Amino acid sequence: MAAENSAVRKSLFTPFNVVVGVIFLVGAAITFLRFAKGLGAVTNLSDNNPWGLWIAFDLLCGVALAAGGYTTSAACYVFGLKRYHSAVRPAILTAFLGYSLVVVALLYDVGRPWRLPYPFFVQSGTTSVLFEVGLCVMLYLNTLFVEWLPACFEWLGFQKPRDFIVKITLALTILGVILSTMHQSSLGALYLIVPSKVHPLWYSMYLPFFFFVSSIAAGLSMVIFEGTLSHHYLHGRMDATYIREHDDVILGFAKGAAMVLALYFMIKAVGIAIDNKWSYLLTGYGAWFLVELLGFVALPALLYAIAVREQNLKLAKWTSVLTVLGIILNRFNTSLVAFNWQLPPADRYFPSWMEIAISVYLITLGLLVFRFIATRMPIFYEDPRYRQHVPHEGEEEERPEFTEHKLRQHPQGFGH
Amino acid sequence: MLRRTFLGLLGAAGVGAALGKPARAAGQQHFTGYPESCGVLFDATRCIGCRSCEAGCNKVNELPPPPEPFNDLSVFKMKRRTHSWTYTVVNRYDLPGAPGPVFKKWQCNHCLEPACADSCFVRAYTKTSQGAVIWDGTVCVGCRYCMIACPFDIPTFEFNEPLTPRIMKCTLCYPLITSGKLTVPGCVGACPVEALVYGKRRDLLQIAHERFHAFPGRYLNHIYGEREMGGTNWLYLSGVPFRALGMREDLGVVPAPELTSGALAAVPLVAVTWPVLLTGIYAISRRKDKIARQETAQAVARAVAQTQAEAEGKLKSAMTKAEVEKKAAIEREVKKALEEAAKPQTREGE
Amino acid sequence: MEHHFYTLFDFLVYTKGAVYILMGVMLLGILGFWLFLTGRDEEKEIH
């Protein structure tokens, strides 16, 4: 094979590229249809169900799962847990792309996307929780962009701007936590205005708190999940520091997530008790609520705790998947299952295949951009010219190396 | 209500007992609505289900012609809701034990504290002093949160308009009345049996009570809309339970803005508390690191000093030992030399 | 546990009592959970 002249040009039609190509073509066609014929031609939305999959998944889940940005940077820079430093840039990148995709999804969903800046520049509906969501998301997207820029500047060689932004890292991080707290909780607050349409087991005055706390668990779990995937597919881009810190990140974040999930479980219980909703647990919706609470909150809390005790990385990684699914389930339950629960079955909503296709298209887009950036910019490694690495207590200064090797046994041999 | 707002505040901010007394976001104020505000009284015991109101509304608002003509009563087979081509619908309810069918006309209720207005992030809705809740199409982004928020499921959306979809709902004929083209809304004017009365809300409440008095046993002693969701400008009278007419009786009396004002009140608290809190945590964590570094340095210095002292001690004792050994060796040599020297002397002495 | 409350006061007496008990249970629970979670933390270096 090595003798073939054409071996130099790799085929463009790898299975991955073909699948992505199909997704993009279908996505482009549906995009055209959406803007040529309207939302009715593409979605199953209706006057009874004005919000569907794009809000439930692309907005609510997208924002919750992008929470790794503020949690990781807060852990490292505010709480001083420097051993998580190598996880910050990947988390910021994930969050930046996540929030960007939220905005793109909104371009599809709202009736007049070019008017999206109106609440900030034309007329503000300050009584609206959605205004607060929009303002904070817009500001936070810009914050994330600035937090991502150093990696981009290092790639481009713009030293001075890069140094300036790095100098204000703490301020950006704190701003990020403030904005994230506000909009994560406000997404839950969106449903406060309509108790008559949300099932009592999911409606609570604590909805903002539920969404905020679960976003922390979501963020920590996404860092573990994204780190696991990146480790598998982008291992060659990782430097010794990242690889050395990787397992500690997983177990450390698993420990944090265990406590946060336990907290989330407790406040959900208080939410039931304080409004005396126990009797609803004995209904069909009650059973579904318990599936969500026990199978996707209590269980991952326990599994994370076991993983930390046993130093079991594999268990921690699978639990992160369970937790992420649990967050998605909760957002879907709140906005699609528990919402309009009193409508007759014929009037309930299920997404059209085109809505699903666009969501798939947006995720694919995100993955491709992630890969593009991670394979070129210092996300999983530190550019030697701009070394930021802060030594741990008692550790000697080290020179980072590139490692171009396949998956190998971790030197410290954590129990897999 | 006080408790809910307070706990909503707690829930949203997680700020504990630091908060003093419970705070309704609007203080202890009581809002009574615009005094001269107008509305409509609907009397379900008078409505004959002729759908003339639907036709009248369609005409004055120049809405598109419906799929079925307005005199087609077969539409009553299904329960209908408003859509973007109809601001109002009449539904028919056949109730067991009732002498005949009962009809209910449904449209925007023009709430005193509208959920749509409260939820709109571009303030596209206005509760006018005249009573109507109107929508401004020049700023609407089409996010449809108002449709989520409305407890009566009223606002509709032009899902089949690709680029300029509008929210469509009853306007209480506000533009037509204020411009003088009409004196009463189109539906009210079209009704042949005066099931609809237009007037000041406080007068309508009066009329309702007069009817209760004049016709005892005919009506349920409840004016729907008097207090529901904080009160509406469209009021309903009925001889049968309202829930039998598809009207929700579990909405409560708390107006929509109050449901979110607690959570919104927590936002500025987070905005000011978090910077202080997080900076504090950062400072504490940095100080901990600094002290840890100092302690490590001290420990290292002590260890070095100790090692040095030990080494010196060892050296000293080694040197002393060497000194002693040297002395002993010298003494041995001297002794030997002396013995050597003493030997020939002893031989010479013979 | 299903019974009709005629006043907000009655409702609050019932629910607040339940919540206080639940708080006590949860505090014990979270302590136990934390002990479980950190039970095998070996003598690690100061991180």
Side-chain angles (χ1 to χ4, degrees):
Chain A
M1 273 217 311
E4 289 175 23
N5 290 336
S6 60
V8 177
R9 236 190 75 244
K10 275 201 284 204
S11 169
L12 272 175
F13 290 95
T14 64
F16 177 79
N17 285 2
V18 168
V19 170
V20 167
V22 168
I23 292 175
F24 269 57
L25 278 174
V26 172
I30 299 174
T31 306
F32 175 74
L33 202 57
R34 166 358 190 163
F35 289 103
K37 287 283 181 68
L39 285 167
V42 160
T43 68
N44 279 346
L45 299 174
S46 64
D47 290 320
N48 275 331
N49 297 291
W51 281 359
L53 183 72
W54 292 343
I55 295 294
F57 182 73
D58 296 86
L59 174 64
L60 297 182
C61 293
V63 170
L65 298 179
Y70 82 89
T71 49
T72 311
S73 56
C76 178
Y77 298 120
V78 176
F79 291 88
L81 303 171
K82 301 195 182 70
R83 63 189 183 277
Y84 299 140
H85 181 257
S86 63
V88 172
R89 278 195 178 173
I92 294 285
L93 177 61
T94 307
F96 172 48
L97 293 180
Y99 277 86
S100 303
L101 292 174
V102 167
V103 173
V104 175
L106 286 177
L107 296 176
Y108 282 84
D109 188 76
V110 300
R112 302 188 209 216
W114 56 91
R115 285 191 180 175
L116 273 170
Y118 272 39
F120 318 120
F121 301 111
V122 175
Q123 190 168 277
S124 298
T126 49
T127 59
S128 168
V129 175
L130 192 62
F131 173 79
E132 203 266 312
V133 171
L135 182 63
C136 289
V137 167
M138 181 195 60
L139 292 174
Y140 186 52
L141 179 59
N142 283 290
T143 308
L144 283 168
F145 174 66
V146 174
E147 287 181 289
W148 166 76
L149 275 181
C152 184
F153 284 162
E154 287 172 15
W155 180 54
L156 295 170
F158 299 158
Q159 171 115 29
K160 280 238 181 67
R162 174 259 177 207
D163 285 344
F164 173 71
I165 296 175
V166 166
K167 252 206 179 130
I168 60 171
T169 296
L170 180 67
L172 288 171
T173 303
I174 290 180
L175 181 64
V177 176
I178 296 169
L179 292 171
S180 293
T181 307
M182 298 203 290
H183 71 253
Q184 294 284 358
S185 54
S186 293
L187 284 175
L190 283 176
Y191 292 93
L192 289 177
I193 202 169
V194 65
S196 59
K197 293 190 197 173
V198 181
H199 188 278
L201 285 174
W202 280 270
Y203 184 87
S204 168
M205 70 187 99
Y206 291 149
L207 266 168
F209 208 27
F210 291 165
F211 271 52
F212 172 56
V213 171
S214 56
S215 80
I216 301 175
L220 296 174
S221 301
M222 273 301 283
V223 170
I224 296 174
F225 180 60
E226 169 269 307
T228 307
L229 287 180
S230 297
H231 213 88
H232 188 70
Y233 292 105
L234 296 169
H235 196 88
R237 310 291 166 174
M238 298 174 174
D239 68 7
T241 309
Y242 181 90
I243 290 171
R244 183 184 57 238
E245 291 181 351
H246 181 67
D247 290 348
D248 190 33
V249 167
I250 291 181
L251 290 176
F253 277 36
K255 197 173 185 183
M259 286 302 276
V260 173
L261 284 168
L263 168 66
Y264 182 46
F265 180 85
M266 291 193 297
I267 60 179
K268 281 250 171 179
V270 173
I272 301 294
I274 210 151
D275 280 325
N276 200 32
K277 293 180 174 170
W278 303 102
S279 55
Y280 287 103
L281 293 174
L282 302 169
T283 64
Y285 277 99
W288 188 237
F289 177 81
L290 288 172
V291 165
E292 183 197 312
L293 188 63
L294 298 176
F296 292 87
V297 178
L299 181 62
L302 188 64
L303 292 179
Y304 268 139
I306 293 172
V308 167
R309 273 176 75 92
E310 310 289 323
Q311 308 243 293
N312 187 338
L313 289 163
K314 195 163 179 191
L315 180 59
K317 292 172 185 176
W318 280 108
T319 308
S320 76
V321 175
L322 183 66
T323 311
V324 167
L325 289 175
I327 301 299
I328 295 175
L329 179 65
N330 170 259
R331 302 311 195 248
F332 273 43
N333 280 346
T334 308
S335 62
L336 297 178
V337 177
F339 184 79
N340 271 346
W341 67 287
Q342 287 171 334
L343 282 187
D347 291 342
R348 299 298 303 270
Y349 160 86
F350 195 83
S352 68
W353 74 266
M354 287 188 272
E355 291 175 83
I356 299 172
I358 290 290
S359 293
V360 168
Y361 162 65
L362 291 179
I363 298 173
T364 309
L365 189 61
L367 287 173
L368 286 180
V369 176
F370 186 95
R371 189 179 70 165
F372 179 89
I373 292 177
T375 51
R376 283 165 184 74
M377 303 184 200
I379 302 288
F380 291 108
Y381 64 90
E382 284 172 301
D383 191 323
R385 297 168 293 170
Y386 299 95
R387 263 191 12 103
Q388 254 257 292
H389 176 67
V390 183
H392 303 168
E393 319 277 311
E395 183 191 290
E396 290 168 17
E397 281 279 325
E398 251 188 47
R399 264 165 284 127
E401 310 119 26
F402 277 81
T403 48
E404 291 282 339
H405 55 258
K406 291 204 188 285
L407 283 160
R408 53 149 202 215
Q409 186 65 357
H410 193 280
Q412 278 174 273
F414 283 107
H416 280 264
Chain B
M1 276 185 282
L2 282 168
R3 168 190 75 95
R4 283 183 184 276
T5 316
F6 177 53
L7 285 167
L9 234 151
L10 277 186
V15 179
L19 288 173
K21 58 180 178 50
R24 256 172 96 148
Q28 298 293 328
Q29 294 175 310
H30 175 59
F31 299 98
T32 51
Y34 291 104
E36 306 297 312
S37 166
C38 296
V40 174
L41 178 66
F42 170 77
D43 192 327
T45 65
R46 295 188 183 187
C47 177
I48 57 172
C50 64
R51 299 182 66 209
S52 307
C53 50
E54 291 188 39
C57 168
N58 181 281
K59 178 153 163 257
V60 305
N61 289 298
E62 290 164 21
L63 293 171
E68 317 85 4
F70 290 107
N71 52 19
D72 180 352
L73 302 181
S74 68
V75 301
F76 287 144
K77 281 199 283 261
M78 306 281 291
K79 295 290 178 283
R80 298 174 298 148
R81 63 153 286 156
T82 51
H83 287 296
S84 59
W85 55 90
T86 135
Y87 288 170
T88 182
V89 287
V90 177
N91 279 319
R92 171 187 160 135
Y93 299 88
D94 297 289
L95 307 167
V102 185
F103 300 92
K104 177 204 73 186
K105 176 184 184 299
W106 195 238
Q107 69 302 302
C108 175
N109 288 322
H110 301 278
C111 304
L112 265 60
E113 303 280 5
C116 54
D118 187 68
S119 66
C120 182
F121 72 160
V122 279
R123 226 187 323 132
Y125 287 91
T126 308
K127 170 70 174 179
T128 63
S129 55
Q130 177 258 3
V133 175
I134 55 175
W135 170 84
D136 177 2
T138 62
V139 293
C140 175
V141 181
C143 75
R144 308 185 301 284
Y145 185 37
C146 54
M147 297 170 72
I148 296 279
C150 177
F152 303 113
D153 283 313
I154 285 303
T156 67
F157 188 74
E158 294 182 307
F159 284 102
N160 293 322
E161 273 299 319
L163 297 173
T164 54
R166 296 171 295 174
I167 290 283
M168 305 292 276
K169 76 165 189 75
C170 162
T171 59
L172 207 59
C173 288
Y174 178 80
L176 298 164
I177 292 177
T178 48
S179 63
K181 291 204 190 76
L182 292 176
T183 52
V184 298
C187 52
V188 177
C191 179
V193 296
E194 284 186 33
L196 296 163
V197 180
Y198 177 76
K200 294 216 197 316
R201 186 177 188 267
R202 58 163 190 263
D203 292 338
L204 296 176
L205 290 168
Q206 179 95 349
I207 291 170
H209 284 289
E210 284 165 9
R211 288 189 198 179
F212 292 165
H213 262 106
F215 304 101
R218 182 188 169 109
Y219 296 102
L220 238 49
N221 189 10
H222 179 69
I223 306 169
Y224 191 97
E226 185 176 6
R227 299 187 61 212
E228 280 78 356
M229 294 303 298
T232 63
N233 276 38
W234 208 289
L235 305 165
Y236 299 78
L237 301 179
S238 167
V240 300
F242 290 98
R243 88 183 79 95
L245 301 181
M247 295 162 74
R248 296 196 58 164
E249 291 183 351
D250 59 346
L251 295 176
V253 300
V254 176
E258 229 175 279
L259 293 167
T260 60
S261 61
L264 283 174
V267 169
L269 282 191
V270 171
V272 300
T273 308
W274 260 222
V276 177
L277 194 65
L278 295 168
T279 316
I281 294 172
Y282 167 75
I284 291 173
S285 133
R286 228 179 55 157
R287 180 152 175 74
K288 259 178 70 170
D289 281 349
K290 185 169 159 203
I291 292 178
R293 271 201 305 274
Q294 278 176 353
E295 285 182 350
T296 313
Q298 278 176 4
V300 167
R302 258 185 278 123
V304 166
Q306 191 177 28
T307 315
Q308 240 178 343
E310 270 176 24
E312 266 171 32
K314 271 207 185 116
L315 185 64
K316 210 169 171 187
S317 65
M319 284 190 62
T320 318
K321 194 164 163 212
E323 197 62 46
V324 166
E325 275 178 13
K326 195 165 139 198
K327 258 194 176 150
I330 293 175
E331 275 178 17
R332 271 202 302 275
E333 289 303 310
V334 167
K335 197 164 165 206
K336 226 163 128 187
L338 281 174
E339 281 174 358
E340 285 292 324
K343 270 199 203 132
Q345 265 198 334
T346 321
R347 272 188 60 190
E348 278 170 25
E350 279 176 338
Chain C
M1 268 192 260
E2 194 55 58
H3 73 264
H4 197 68
F5 299 104
Y6 287 101
T7 62
L8 176 62
F9 177 74
D10 282 343
F11 177 79
L12 289 177
V13 165
Y14 181 83
T15 58
K16 292 291 198 254
V19 169
Y20 274 113
I21 293 171
L22 187 63
M23 275 196 282
V25 170
M26 289 191 311
L27 282 173
L28 291 173
I30 193 68
L31 176 65
F33 184 74
W34 185 79
L35 289 172
F36 177 73
L37 177 66
T38 58
R40 293 253 188 101
D41 278 4
E42 276 120 41
E43 296 302 315
K44 287 210 175 132
E45 320 90 276
I46 321 149
H47 268 312

